Amino acid sequence: MTCPRCDFDRIEKLATSQVPGVWDVLQCQRCLYMWRTTEPVRRTTREAYPEAFRMTQADIDNAPEVPTIPPLLQRNEGREAT
């Protein structure tokens, strides 16, 4: 099995349905794409995965940095005291 998005062969099982054999959640260890085994073929196999969304190692290496999430505002921050 390889990743539908980047064709990498290290896939990790992250979760399994409570009913055995119904579904698994898998994650690629290179591009971090995640999918459930019950999703349509266009999301679970490389051959059917949309070409516009496929990635290579170069795409991953040159991806822009994901911004950090700012801290949550305090409950009364930014509000006038009443």
Side-chain angles (χ1 to χ4, degrees), residues 48-80:
Y49 195 80
E51 287 193 37
F53 297 108
R54 292 182 188 181
M55 298 182 82
T56 64
Q57 183 64 55
D59 294 327
I60 295 166
D61 292 342
N62 296 313
E65 186 176 328
V66 177
T68 58
I69 298 171
L72 292 174
L73 296 176
Q74 294 299 317
R75 188 170 192 80
N76 292 324
E77 192 172 324
R79 296 182 188 172
E80 292 183 357

Side-chain angles (χ1 to χ4, degrees), residues 23 25-26 29 76 79:
W23 54 261
V25 174
L26 307 174
Q29 298 303 292
N76 292 324
R79 296 182 188 172

Side-chain angles (χ1 to χ4, degrees), residues 6-51:
C6 75
D7 205 28
F8 194 57
D9 63 357
R10 284 189 38 224
I11 307 300
E12 184 176 325
K13 185 187 302 184
L14 298 182
T16 300
S17 65
Q18 292 178 346
V19 178
V22 176
W23 54 261
D24 294 316
V25 174
L26 307 174
Q27 182 181 43
C28 175
Q29 298 303 292
R30 177 167 64 179
C31 74
L32 305 178
Y33 178 68
M34 294 175 67
W35 68 98
R36 190 179 299 191
T37 54
T38 55
E39 292 189 51
V41 173
R42 71 181 181 277
R43 299 288 175 247
T44 62
T45 61
R46 178 71 172 179
E47 297 75 25
Y49 195 80
E51 287 193 37

